[in-house]
PDB file of all heavy atoms in Angstrom:
ATOM      1  N   ILE K   1     120.420  98.846  83.920  1.00 93.00           N
ATOM      2  CA  ILE K   1     121.031  97.527  84.018  1.00 93.00           C
ATOM      3  C   ILE K   1     120.370  96.782  85.167  1.00 93.00           C
ATOM      4  O   ILE K   1     120.211  97.331  86.252  1.00 93.00           O
ATOM      5  CB  ILE K   1     122.551  97.638  84.256  1.00 93.00           C
ATOM      6  CG1 ILE K   1     123.212  98.309  83.068  1.00 93.00           C
ATOM      7  CG2 ILE K   1     123.148  96.273  84.505  1.00 93.00           C
ATOM      8  CD1 ILE K   1     124.678  98.594  83.274  1.00 93.00           C
ATOM      9  N   ARG K   8     122.621  85.043  86.911  1.00 96.00           N
ATOM     10  CA  ARG K   8     123.233  84.473  85.707  1.00 96.00           C
ATOM     11  C   ARG K   8     123.090  85.363  84.478  1.00 96.00           C
ATOM     12  O   ARG K   8     123.831  85.209  83.518  1.00 96.00           O
ATOM     13  CB  ARG K   8     122.627  83.100  85.406  1.00 96.00           C
ATOM     14  CG  ARG K   8     122.901  82.068  86.474  1.00 96.00           C
ATOM     15  CD  ARG K   8     122.402  80.669  86.097  1.00 96.00           C
ATOM     16  NE  ARG K   8     121.147  80.637  85.386  1.00 96.00           N
ATOM     17  CZ  ARG K   8     119.945  80.508  85.941  1.00 96.00           C
ATOM     18  NH1 ARG K   8     119.836  80.423  87.245  1.00 96.00           N
ATOM     19  NH2 ARG K   8     118.855  80.456  85.196  1.00 96.00           N
ATOM     20  N   SER K  15     119.291 102.624  73.537  1.00 96.00           N
ATOM     21  CA  SER K  15     118.654 103.787  72.922  1.00 96.00           C
ATOM     22  C   SER K  15     117.831 103.404  71.696  1.00 96.00           C
ATOM     23  O   SER K  15     117.011 104.191  71.233  1.00 96.00           O
ATOM     24  CB  SER K  15     119.712 104.821  72.549  1.00 96.00           C
ATOM     25  OG  SER K  15     120.631 104.285  71.632  1.00 96.00           O
ATOM     26  N   GLU K  16     118.037 102.207  71.166  1.00 96.00           N
ATOM     27  CA  GLU K  16     117.269 101.731  70.012  1.00 96.00           C
ATOM     28  C   GLU K  16     115.987 101.001  70.415  1.00 96.00           C
ATOM     29  O   GLU K  16     115.241 100.534  69.555  1.00 96.00           O
ATOM     30  CB  GLU K  16     118.124 100.797  69.142  1.00 96.00           C
ATOM     31  CG  GLU K  16     119.284 101.482  68.447  1.00 96.00           C
ATOM     32  CD  GLU K  16     120.490 101.615  69.358  1.00 96.00           C
ATOM     33  OE1 GLU K  16     120.613 100.831  70.337  1.00 96.00           O
ATOM     34  OE2 GLU K  16     121.309 102.514  69.119  1.00 96.00           O
ATOM     35  N   GLY K  29     129.772  90.236  74.193  1.00 94.00           N
ATOM     36  CA  GLY K  29     128.624  90.241  73.295  1.00 94.00           C
ATOM     37  C   GLY K  29     127.391  89.714  73.990  1.00 94.00           C
ATOM     38  O   GLY K  29     127.472  88.836  74.852  1.00 94.00           O
ATOM     39  N   PHE K  34     116.086  91.372  72.822  1.00 94.00           N
ATOM     40  CA  PHE K  34     114.639  91.403  72.831  1.00 94.00           C
ATOM     41  C   PHE K  34     114.191  92.748  72.268  1.00 94.00           C
ATOM     42  O   PHE K  34     114.098  93.735  72.979  1.00 94.00           O
ATOM     43  CB  PHE K  34     114.150  91.203  74.257  1.00 94.00           C
ATOM     44  CG  PHE K  34     112.653  91.162  74.429  1.00 94.00           C
ATOM     45  CD1 PHE K  34     111.786  91.056  73.359  1.00 94.00           C
ATOM     46  CD2 PHE K  34     112.109  91.220  75.690  1.00 94.00           C
ATOM     47  CE1 PHE K  34     110.413  91.020  73.535  1.00 94.00           C
ATOM     48  CE2 PHE K  34     110.741  91.185  75.887  1.00 94.00           C
ATOM     49  CZ  PHE K  34     109.902  91.087  74.802  1.00 94.00           C
ATOM     50  N   GLY K  36     111.406  95.375  70.510  1.00 87.00           N
ATOM     51  CA  GLY K  36     109.981  95.535  70.754  1.00 87.00           C
ATOM     52  C   GLY K  36     109.578  96.881  71.300  1.00 87.00           C
ATOM     53  O   GLY K  36     108.415  97.247  71.212  1.00 87.00           O
ATOM     54  N   HIS K  37     110.498  97.617  71.873  1.00 92.00           N
ATOM     55  CA  HIS K  37     110.186  98.965  72.326  1.00 92.00           C
ATOM     56  C   HIS K  37     110.399  99.918  71.146  1.00 92.00           C
ATOM     57  O   HIS K  37     111.450  99.893  70.516  1.00 92.00           O
ATOM     58  CB  HIS K  37     111.093  99.374  73.482  1.00 92.00           C
ATOM     59  CG  HIS K  37     110.880  98.575  74.726  1.00 92.00           C
ATOM     60  ND1 HIS K  37     111.391  97.304  74.872  1.00 92.00           N
ATOM     61  CD2 HIS K  37     110.208  98.852  75.857  1.00 92.00           C
ATOM     62  CE1 HIS K  37     111.049  96.848  76.055  1.00 92.00           C
ATOM     63  NE2 HIS K  37     110.326  97.764  76.680  1.00 92.00           N
ATOM     64  N   SER K  40     113.701 104.412  73.065  1.00 96.00           N
ATOM     65  CA  SER K  40     114.755 103.962  73.966  1.00 96.00           C
ATOM     66  C   SER K  40     114.197 103.475  75.304  1.00 96.00           C
ATOM     67  O   SER K  40     113.175 103.961  75.784  1.00 96.00           O
ATOM     68  CB  SER K  40     115.753 105.091  74.207  1.00 96.00           C
ATOM     69  OG  SER K  40     115.133 106.180  74.850  1.00 96.00           O
ATOM     70  N   SER K  57     111.163 105.918  76.594  1.00 95.00           N
ATOM     71  CA  SER K  57     111.038 107.328  76.242  1.00 95.00           C
ATOM     72  C   SER K  57     109.716 107.626  75.557  1.00 95.00           C
ATOM     73  O   SER K  57     109.377 108.791  75.356  1.00 95.00           O
ATOM     74  CB  SER K  57     112.222 107.779  75.380  1.00 95.00           C
ATOM     75  OG  SER K  57     112.256 107.059  74.173  1.00 95.00           O
ATOM     76  N   MET K  67     113.735  85.386  79.103  1.00 88.00           N
ATOM     77  CA  MET K  67     114.102  83.987  78.941  1.00 88.00           C
ATOM     78  C   MET K  67     113.028  83.050  79.488  1.00 88.00           C
ATOM     79  O   MET K  67     113.270  82.442  80.512  1.00 88.00           O
ATOM     80  CB  MET K  67     115.469  83.718  79.528  1.00 88.00           C
ATOM     81  CG  MET K  67     116.456  84.736  79.093  1.00 88.00           C
ATOM     82  SD  MET K  67     118.014  84.338  78.363  1.00 88.00           S
ATOM     83  CE  MET K  67     118.113  82.701  77.964  1.00 88.00           C
ATOM     84  N   TYR K  72     104.308  91.153  78.232  1.00 97.00           N
ATOM     85  CA  TYR K  72     103.057  90.793  78.881  1.00 97.00           C
ATOM     86  C   TYR K  72     102.000  91.885  78.773  1.00 97.00           C
ATOM     87  O   TYR K  72     100.818  91.590  78.793  1.00 97.00           O
ATOM     88  CB  TYR K  72     103.288  90.456  80.353  1.00 97.00           C
ATOM     89  CG  TYR K  72     104.053  89.172  80.532  1.00 97.00           C
ATOM     90  CD1 TYR K  72     105.351  89.185  81.007  1.00 97.00           C
ATOM     91  CD2 TYR K  72     103.484  87.943  80.230  1.00 97.00           C
ATOM     92  CE1 TYR K  72     106.062  88.006  81.183  1.00 97.00           C
ATOM     93  CE2 TYR K  72     104.184  86.760  80.390  1.00 97.00           C
ATOM     94  CZ  TYR K  72     105.477  86.811  80.868  1.00 97.00           C
ATOM     95  OH  TYR K  72     106.179  85.648  81.028  1.00 97.00           O
ATOM     96  N   LEU K  74     101.029  96.485  79.270  1.00 96.00           N
ATOM     97  CA  LEU K  74     101.324  97.822  79.784  1.00 96.00           C
ATOM     98  C   LEU K  74     100.723  97.991  81.174  1.00 96.00           C
ATOM     99  O   LEU K  74      99.613  97.527  81.430  1.00 96.00           O
ATOM    100  CB  LEU K  74     100.733  98.883  78.863  1.00 96.00           C
ATOM    101  CG  LEU K  74     101.188  98.857  77.410  1.00 96.00           C
ATOM    102  CD1 LEU K  74     100.394  99.879  76.602  1.00 96.00           C
ATOM    103  CD2 LEU K  74     102.667  99.134  77.313  1.00 96.00           C
ATOM    104  N   VAL K  75     101.458  98.682  82.044  1.00 96.00           N
ATOM    105  CA  VAL K  75     100.940  98.948  83.384  1.00 96.00           C
ATOM    106  C   VAL K  75     100.975 100.423  83.747  1.00 96.00           C
ATOM    107  O   VAL K  75     100.502 100.810  84.806  1.00 96.00           O
ATOM    108  CB  VAL K  75     101.687  98.136  84.467  1.00 96.00           C
ATOM    109  CG1 VAL K  75     101.427  96.656  84.298  1.00 96.00           C
ATOM    110  CG2 VAL K  75     103.163  98.443  84.459  1.00 96.00           C
ATOM    111  N   ASP K  79     101.848 109.744  79.168  1.00 88.00           N
ATOM    112  CA  ASP K  79     101.388 110.613  78.075  1.00 88.00           C
ATOM    113  C   ASP K  79     102.528 111.117  77.187  1.00 88.00           C
ATOM    114  O   ASP K  79     102.678 112.312  76.981  1.00 88.00           O
ATOM    115  CB  ASP K  79     100.608 111.806  78.634  1.00 88.00           C
ATOM    116  CG  ASP K  79      99.300 111.387  79.258  1.00 88.00           C
ATOM    117  OD1 ASP K  79      98.712 110.403  78.764  1.00 88.00           O
ATOM    118  OD2 ASP K  79      98.869 112.033  80.224  1.00 88.00           O
ATOM    119  N   PHE K  81     105.602 111.411  77.676  1.00 92.00           N
ATOM    120  CA  PHE K  81     106.779 111.959  78.339  1.00 92.00           C
ATOM    121  C   PHE K  81     107.658 110.784  78.761  1.00 92.00           C
ATOM    122  O   PHE K  81     107.161 109.770  79.235  1.00 92.00           O
ATOM    123  CB  PHE K  81     106.388 112.774  79.570  1.00 92.00           C
ATOM    124  CG  PHE K  81     105.702 114.062  79.251  1.00 92.00           C
ATOM    125  CD1 PHE K  81     104.318 114.130  79.212  1.00 92.00           C
ATOM    126  CD2 PHE K  81     106.451 115.196  78.983  1.00 92.00           C
ATOM    127  CE1 PHE K  81     103.678 115.326  78.915  1.00 92.00           C
ATOM    128  CE2 PHE K  81     105.819 116.398  78.689  1.00 92.00           C
ATOM    129  CZ  PHE K  81     104.426 116.462  78.643  1.00 92.00           C
ATOM    130  N   ARG K  87     111.076 103.020  90.957  1.00 97.00           N
ATOM    131  CA  ARG K  87     111.567 102.436  92.200  1.00 97.00           C
ATOM    132  C   ARG K  87     110.405 101.828  92.977  1.00 97.00           C
ATOM    133  O   ARG K  87     109.274 102.287  92.900  1.00 97.00           O
ATOM    134  CB  ARG K  87     112.236 103.499  93.086  1.00 97.00           C
ATOM    135  CG  ARG K  87     113.563 103.999  92.572  1.00 97.00           C
ATOM    136  CD  ARG K  87     114.619 102.917  92.696  1.00 97.00           C
ATOM    137  NE  ARG K  87     115.924 103.410  92.325  1.00 97.00           N
ATOM    138  CZ  ARG K  87     116.507 103.219  91.160  1.00 97.00           C
ATOM    139  NH1 ARG K  87     115.887 102.553  90.207  1.00 97.00           N
ATOM    140  NH2 ARG K  87     117.704 103.685  90.909  1.00 97.00           N
ATOM    141  N   HIS K  90     109.039 101.119 100.094  1.00 96.00           N
ATOM    142  CA  HIS K  90     109.827 100.390 101.097  1.00 96.00           C
ATOM    143  C   HIS K  90     109.319  98.973 101.318  1.00 96.00           C
ATOM    144  O   HIS K  90     110.097  98.076 101.630  1.00 96.00           O
ATOM    145  CB  HIS K  90     109.848 101.161 102.424  1.00 96.00           C
ATOM    146  CG  HIS K  90     108.520 101.188 103.122  1.00 96.00           C
ATOM    147  ND1 HIS K  90     108.177 100.263 104.065  1.00 96.00           N
ATOM    148  CD2 HIS K  90     107.444 102.001 102.993  1.00 96.00           C
ATOM    149  CE1 HIS K  90     106.950 100.502 104.499  1.00 96.00           C
ATOM    150  NE2 HIS K  90     106.487 101.569 103.867  1.00 96.00           N
ATOM    151  N   LEU K  94     104.065  99.216  96.126  1.00 95.00           N
ATOM    152  CA  LEU K  94     103.829 100.223  95.090  1.00 95.00           C
ATOM    153  C   LEU K  94     105.096 100.454  94.277  1.00 95.00           C
ATOM    154  O   LEU K  94     106.207 100.310  94.783  1.00 95.00           O
ATOM    155  CB  LEU K  94     103.413 101.560  95.710  1.00 95.00           C
ATOM    156  CG  LEU K  94     102.136 101.593  96.522  1.00 95.00           C
ATOM    157  CD1 LEU K  94     102.015 102.923  97.247  1.00 95.00           C
ATOM    158  CD2 LEU K  94     100.929 101.362  95.635  1.00 95.00           C
ATOM    159  N   VAL K  95     104.892 100.833  93.019  1.00 96.00           N
ATOM    160  CA  VAL K  95     105.997 101.260  92.165  1.00 96.00           C
ATOM    161  C   VAL K  95     105.801 102.740  91.860  1.00 96.00           C
ATOM    162  O   VAL K  95     104.704 103.157  91.465  1.00 96.00           O
ATOM    163  CB  VAL K  95     106.044 100.462  90.839  1.00 96.00           C
ATOM    164  CG1 VAL K  95     107.068 101.049  89.886  1.00 96.00           C
ATOM    165  CG2 VAL K  95     106.345  99.004  91.116  1.00 96.00           C
ATOM    166  N   SER K  97     107.100 106.002  89.555  1.00 95.00           N
ATOM    167  CA  SER K  97     107.820 106.319  88.322  1.00 95.00           C
ATOM    168  C   SER K  97     107.936 107.826  88.193  1.00 95.00           C
ATOM    169  O   SER K  97     107.041 108.571  88.609  1.00 95.00           O
ATOM    170  CB  SER K  97     107.110 105.722  87.104  1.00 95.00           C
ATOM    171  OG  SER K  97     105.799 106.216  86.985  1.00 95.00           O
ATOM    172  N   ILE K  98     109.039 108.272  87.614  1.00 94.00           N
ATOM    173  CA  ILE K  98     109.328 109.690  87.453  1.00 94.00           C
ATOM    174  C   ILE K  98     109.390 110.008  85.966  1.00 94.00           C
ATOM    175  O   ILE K  98     110.004 109.282  85.192  1.00 94.00           O
ATOM    176  CB  ILE K  98     110.665 110.058  88.125  1.00 94.00           C
ATOM    177  CG1 ILE K  98     110.581 109.802  89.621  1.00 94.00           C
ATOM    178  CG2 ILE K  98     111.042 111.496  87.833  1.00 94.00           C
ATOM    179  CD1 ILE K  98     111.896 109.955  90.336  1.00 94.00           C
TER     180      ILE K  98
END
Side-chain angles (χ1 to χ4, degrees):
I1 297 174
R8 296 185 322 267
S15 60
E16 293 83 23
F34 182 12
H37 294 78
S40 63
S57 62
M67 313 232 11
Y72 291 110
L74 302 174
V75 294
D79 292 328
F81 290 94
R87 289 290 185 260
H90 69 93
L94 299 170
V95 172
S97 60
I98 298 172

